[in-house]
Amino acid sequence: MAAVTPLLLLLLLSSAPSFSSESRNAYNINGRVKIPQGLGTKGYALPGRMSNVKVLLNGGQNITFLRPDGYFSFHNIPAGTHLIEVSAIGYFFSPVRVDVSARNPGKVQAALTENRKGLSELVLEPLREEQYYEIREPFSIMSLLKSPMGLMVGFMLAVAFLMPKLVENMDPEEMRRAQEEMRSQGVPSLSSLLPGGAMN
Amino acid sequence: MAIRSFFLFILFFSSSLSPVFSLYEDQVGLMDWHQQYIGKVKQAVFSSQRAGRKRVVVSTEENVIASLDLRHGEIFWRHLLGADDVIDGIDIGLGKYVITLSSGGSILRSWNLPDGQMVWESSLQGPKHSKSFLLVPTNLKFDKDNVLVVFSNGRLHAISCIDGEVLWKKDFEAESFEVQQVIQPPGSDLIYVVGFAASYQFEMYQINAKNGELLKHESASFSSGFSGEVSLVSTETVVALDSTGSILQTISFQDGKISSQQTPISNLVEDSLGPAVIIPSSVSGIFAIKTDAVTVFIRVIGEGKLEVVEKTTHEIAVSDALSISEDQQAFALIQHASSEIHLTVKLAHDWDGNLLKESVKMDWQRGLVHKVFINNYIRTDRSYGFRVLIVMEDHSLLLLQQGEIVWSREDGLASIIDVTTSELPVERNGVSVAKVEHNLFEWLKGHMLKLKGTLMLASPEDMAAIQSMRLKSSEKSKMTRDHNGFRKLLIVLTRAGKLFALHTGDGRIVWSHLLRSLHKSEACQSPIGLNLYQWQVPHHHAMDENPSVLVVSRCGPSSDTPGVLSFVDTYTGKELSSLSLDHAVVQVIPLPYTDSTEQRLHLLINADKHAHLYPKTSEALSIFKREFLNIYWYSVEDQNGIIKGHALKCKCTGEVADEFCFDTRDLWSVVFPSESEKIVATVTRKLNEVVHTQAKVVADQDVMYKYISRNLLFVATVAPKGSGEIGSVTPEESWLVAYLIDTVTGRILHRVTHHGSQGPVHAVFSENWVVYHYFNLRAHRYEMSVIEIYDQSRADNKDVWKLVLGKHNLTSPISLFSRPEVITKSQSYFFTHSLKAIAVTSTAKGITSKQLLLGTIGDQVLALDKRFLDPRRTVNPTQAEKEEGIIPLTDSLPIIPQSYVTHALRVEGLRGIITVPAKLESTTLVFAHGVDLFFTQLAPSRTYDSLTEDFSYALLLITIVALVAAIFVTWRLSERKELQEKWR
C-alpha cells in the first residue's frame, strides 16, 4: 500500500545528468534542512548547531553536511528510490523517500516515510524536538506528599488527627461504654508501652 | 479481584509507558563517560592565524577532519565523513577555510576554520580515474579571488576559494597518461603537470594558471621505465626510479625542455642492497631512498649531480618542508635511539647545520614514529622556535616543543577491533584503600546539599558543588573489585596492535601495551590483530593467579597466513608469552572447559580443517579427551553460501606426531542456492549468557517452555540482486529469508521469507528469541522482526496429575536426532532509523527483563524494551494479557528520546555495542565504541535491588528524627492525659 503514494506531487530541484558519458544516469539531489528555533517562533537555529547536522543517503552510503543556509546536495546518484535521513542531536526527523526518475530526468519526488506525507519540495523539517533528559519537577508540596515517605507521614497524621475526630462524633454513651470495655480489657495506653511508662 | 487487577493494570501501565532509562541533566557523567578521538593522523596543516587560538587541522585514517587546539590537543570541532568518502587531501585557504578533497578527488568541500560549519561543496568530475592533488597557491589571484588548483580524475580544475565555483578546467584524456605531480612554482602563473605515459614515457604539460590554456607539452621516453613515486626536488626537477629500482633518473623540465641524468644507486652507495623506493618528501634539493635496511638522503647539486648526505640504519621519519623565510626551508627529522627519539630541524640547503637538536624520552610502548609535521613560531627574542607533531606506531598523536611532550592523544582508541572485560583485583586487608567518608560532618553536609538539590532549593553555587562532589566520588574509580561488580577493566585491542585496559569507573587508561607479537618482523610481515578471548579467569581455584587474555592475530590479510597467539596479564599489562604458530587460524572456539588453573581450553581450526587444542598441556588434553564426542561447531562460507557442521574425528595423521592436533569430519551442510540466496548475516547466542528460567507464564495461568539451546544459529539471506544498496532493486526482485538452524544436526527449525525486503540485516540472538532489522522496500521503511521459539515437547508436563502419576516425559532422553517439537511466533514492526549495531542487555542471573540496544545511524544508542518486540502483542489485548504486561500492538516501534542511553551525546562512527553483566542483578554495563567511546550502566527494570545514586539519606534521617521527636511529644501528651484521667 505504501507503494501507492498518491501524494507524491513533486518536485523540485535537481539537475540534469552530469556531463560525463559513463555516468549518464547520475543525478543530483538537492534539498534543504530547516530547523525552526523553538516551537512556533520564526528564525533558524544557530550556525554552531547546524554544523553538527548530517544528511545521510541510503543508510550511510553517502553522507553530506549542511551549508550555512541549510542547503545540501548529493552528487552522482543513480535513478531509483532512495532514502534520506537527517541526523541532528535534539531533533527528530522522519526519513524521506526520494524517487529519482530515469524517464523524467531531473524529476525528484519525495515523501516522508513516517506519516507518508508527500513533500512538494525537498525541505526537511523536524517532526519534533527531542528532549533527552527528564525535567526535574520544581519543588512542590504535592511531589513531597506523593513520595512513599510523604504517604507514610500523611497516613500517620490522618490516624492521629482524624481518628479522634471520628471518635468524637460517636454517641457519648456508646463511647463511654467502649472506653470502659477497653479499660476492663486492659488495653495498654501508649505511655505504658514506652519504657518509663511502666513506672506510672 | 477487580481491584487487584485494576492495581496490577495501573502498575504495568505506568511501568510500560514511561521510559525505564531516563536521566536528569545533572546526572550526566555520574555513571557514564564519553571520550572523543579522531584516529591515526594522515595529514596535518597548521593554521597560521596570528591572532586567536593556535590550531592544527588534521585528517585521519578514520576519515575524520578535525581542528585541534595546539596548546592542549583538545578537539575544537570534528566531522566524520562517509566510509566511501575517503579524504585525499586537506589544506587551509585564505587563512580561514579548511579545504578538503575526498572521494577519490570528486568532492571538494570548504569548512569554516573557527567553527567547522561547511561553507560550500562542489562535485568534481573527470574523464577517468587518477591520482588527485590539492594545491592552495598563496599568490595565485583571479579577480581578487584566491584560487585552488585541484587535479582529480584526469582533469585539472581551478576553483574559487570563496564559493567553490569552477573557474576553468582542462582534461588530460590521453589514454595511458598517469599523473605523478602537479606543481605550481610560487610567484609564477604557470602550472606544471608531470606524469608517465605507458610507464616509460615522461610527459610534461605547462599550463597557464589564469585560464587553463595549454602552453607547452613535452615528452621524452626512457627505455628503462619507471617504478613507484617521483620526488620533487625543485620546482622544475623531479627524481624517479627506474623499473628495476636501481637507477635514479633526475629529470628536469626547465623552460619546458626535458633533460635527464641517470645515476645508478650503486654509484652513490657502495653496498647497495636490493631494490629501493623513494620516500616522498617536499624538501627542495633533498630526497630520500629506502632499501630494506638503509635509508639514504641524497642531495641534488646543480645539473642532476647527486651526492649522499646521510646514510642511516635507524628508523627515521622526515617532515615536509616548512618555508621560514623567502628562500629558506626547514624540515624536521626524527631518529630512534633506544628509549629516546632525536629530533633535528635542518635547513634544506644546509644539511650539516642544525637549527635545533633535541632528545625526547619516549615510552617504547608507543612504537616507532610514523609521521612528522613541523610548525614554527617566533620566540620572544625574535628567533624561530619549532614545534613538531608526531604520529606514532600506536596511532597516538604527540606535540613536541622545547624537548618536551606538551600533550599527547591516544587516538589508537578510535579503531577498536575487539573488546573483552576483566575483573579487578580483590581488595585485600593489607592494601585496603577503603576510605571512610572524611568525617560525619562532611558526610552530613554533603547529604544536606543533595537534599537541597532534590527539593530545588539549592543556589547555582550549591548545584555546582553537588555536581563536582558527585563526579569526584572516588568510589567509582578505585582499583579494586566492588561488591556490585560495577568496577571492571575493559580490555580493548586496537588496529595498531596495542592493547589498552580502561577502567569502567572513569574511562582512564590503566595500562597499555604494544604487543610485541604484533610488531612487524621477518617472519610476520603485516600482522593483524583479530580477536580477544578470556584465557584465564581465576575465581574459585587459583585465586592467586592474575587473569589473562588471549590475543589471536595473524601475519597477513589472507586467512591462510600463520597465526600468532599472545597471552597478556590483565592486571599488569605484561605479555606473559607469545606463540608463533605454524598453522593458520581460521576459527577460534572457546570450549566450556577449564583446567585446574582455570585456563580455558580453546580449539583453533586451521585452513586445512585441523583442530589444534590450546593450552598444550597434558591436563588439558585429558579433559578434552573426556569431552571428545561432545564437541561440535559450524563454519560459514558466505562466498559459496554454505554452512557446515563439524565434529572431531581422530588424531592428526600428518608426518609429525602432534598430540594436540585433531582431524575433523563434516557432519552436515546447508547449501543455499547461489542464484536466489546470499548469506548476509549469521548470529548465535552469546556463549556466556545466563537464562533464569525456561518457563514463561502467560496470561491465563498457562506455561510455555522456551526452546533454549546454545546451538541455534540465525541466518539471513537476501536475493543476490538485493545485496547492494537501497534503491538498487525493485521490491519484486528482492526478498529476505530468515532461518533458524540447529548447529549440531544441521536441521532447519524455522524458515520465513520476507518478500520485498533487503539488507543490510542486523540481528541479535538471546534466550529463545532473535530480533533482526532490515529494509522493507514496499513500505520503503526499516522493519524489525522478532522470532520466538518454544518447545512443545514439554508442554504436556504442565499437568500436575501426570507429574504425580509419573506419566511425564521429564526423564525421557533428549536427543537432537529426534525432531524437536517446536513452535515459533513472530511479528514485525516498522522502525524509523537505519541501524549500525544492535545488542541486548545481559545481567548476572538473567532475571531482569531485557532491553535491546540499537546503535542508530545518528550514532546514538537507543534502549528499547524487549516487550515492544513481543510476538504476542495484539491490537486489543485482553484484561489478562494487559495484566501480564502486553502492550497493545502498534505498527511502528516508539522512539522515546529519554531512552537514548547516550542522551545528548554521539558515539561518532559507532561500530559496536558490548554489554557486560554487573554482579548486581538489576544492572548491566554497556560499552559502545566507534571513533568515540561511551560507557554507562543500565538498569532495564530500574534498580530494584539497590538504592539509587540520588537516594536522599538526609531526607531519611530527617524523617527518622521527626518520627522519634513525634513519639516523644505524643508520649508526653499521653502521659499528661493519663495523669489528668487519674485526677478525675
Side-chain angles (χ1 to χ4, degrees), chain B residues 572-774:
Chain B
T572 61
K574 294 255 151 48
E575 200 166 348
L576 300 171
S577 63
S578 72
L579 279 177
S580 286
L581 307 183
D582 49 1
H583 58 84
V585 181
V586 176
Q587 215 176 345
V588 181
I589 302 160
L591 299 173
Y593 317 113
T594 52
D595 68 9
S596 60
T597 57
E598 305 253 358
Q599 288 189 359
R600 186 162 295 276
L601 271 57
H602 284 70
L603 207 55
L604 271 57
I605 314 293
N606 71 7
D608 311 326
K609 300 218 171 127
H610 289 297
H612 299 264
L613 177 70
Y614 291 88
K616 292 193 172 194
T617 58
S618 54
E619 189 198 354
L621 195 62
S622 68
I623 298 171
F624 184 72
K625 287 244 171 84
R626 241 181 289 146
E627 305 290 345
F628 194 78
L629 291 173
N630 292 331
I631 295 166
Y632 298 91
W633 70 96
Y634 69 94
S635 61
V636 180
E637 297 168 24
D638 31 3
Q639 271 87 23
N640 309 332
I642 300 175
I643 298 179
K644 279 184 185 160
H646 311 273
L648 295 163
K649 194 161 75 182
C650 56
K651 284 237 175 79
C652 276
T653 48
E655 312 85 75
V656 200
D658 183 355
E659 279 189 286
F660 300 95
C661 166
F662 301 91
D663 273 346
T664 65
R665 62 197 162 105
D666 288 359
L667 285 177
W668 52 265
S669 60
V670 176
V671 183
F672 297 99
S674 60
E675 67 278 7
S676 65
E677 294 185 35
K678 182 174 184 295
I679 300 174
V680 287
T682 54
V683 190
T684 53
R685 279 177 58 193
K686 262 206 274 185
L687 275 176
N688 53 0
E689 192 188 52
V690 184
V691 180
H692 175 63
T693 171
Q694 198 194 352
K696 182 173 176 177
V697 182
V698 297
D700 37 7
Q701 310 294 315
D702 206 355
V703 178
M704 291 176 84
Y705 292 95
K706 300 172 186 169
Y707 185 79
I708 293 167
S709 161
R710 292 213 180 277
N711 304 315
L712 274 187
L713 172 71
F714 168 81
V715 181
T717 65
V718 295
K721 265 193 172 176
S723 55
E725 64 236 13
I726 292 164
S728 57
V729 277
T730 60
E732 289 71 36
E733 51 191 13
S734 181
W735 53 84
L736 181 141
V737 192
Y739 295 87
L740 288 177
I741 297 175
D742 189 312
T743 57
V744 175
T745 58
R747 180 171 280 135
I748 295 173
L749 296 175
H750 182 65
R751 176 182 192 275
V752 60
T753 308
H754 299 273
H755 290 283
S757 295
Q758 70 166 172
V761 176
H762 296 275
V764 62
F765 207 137
S766 170
E767 296 196 356
N768 66 326
W769 52 261
V770 58
V771 168
Y772 51 105
H773 176 272
Y774 55 91

Side-chain angles (χ1 to χ4, degrees), chain B residues 417-559:
Chain B
I417 298 175
D418 202 5
V419 184
T420 187
T421 54
S422 162
E423 294 289 342
L424 282 159
V426 185
E427 204 166 299
R428 299 220 171 77
N429 285 341
V431 291
S432 166
V433 227
K435 204 169 51 182
V436 190
E437 303 279 346
H438 321 282
N439 57 49
L440 191 66
F441 178 68
E442 290 274 305
W443 182 82
L444 260 182
K445 209 171 97 184
H447 278 290
M448 279 311 288
L449 266 177
K450 270 194 191 171
L451 177 70
K452 268 168 106 183
T454 34
L455 299 185
M456 293 281 204
L457 298 172
S459 63
E461 299 93 84
D462 287 349
M463 290 305 277
I466 297 171
Q467 197 64 5
S468 66
M469 197 169 65
R470 292 160 129 192
L471 294 177
K472 262 193 303 200
S473 135
S474 59
E475 194 66 5
K476 66 174 187 180
S477 53
K478 269 199 289 187
M479 278 303 296
T480 50
R481 226 174 269 192
D482 65 332
H483 186 66
N484 291 333
F486 293 162
R487 294 198 296 260
K488 283 182 198 300
L489 288 177
L490 290 166
I491 313 289
V492 301
L493 175 65
T494 65
R495 198 168 297 148
K498 199 173 187 182
L499 212 55
F500 288 89
L502 305 176
H503 195 289
T504 56
D506 50 6
R508 70 177 190 278
I509 295 168
V510 178
W511 52 258
S512 61
H513 181 83
L514 191 67
L515 291 173
R516 245 175 305 140
S517 55
L518 281 172
H519 215 68
K520 224 184 250 182
S521 66
E522 296 266 314
C524 206
Q525 279 303 322
S526 51
I528 304 167
L530 293 179
N531 287 108
L532 278 176
Y533 296 91
Q534 293 189 338
W535 178 251
Q536 195 178 15
V537 186
H539 49 283
H540 290 119
H541 326 288
M543 275 305 264
D544 297 333
E545 304 260 346
N546 288 356
S548 54
V549 290
L550 164 69
V551 186
V552 180
S553 42
R554 67 170 171 236
C555 284
S558 86
S559 64

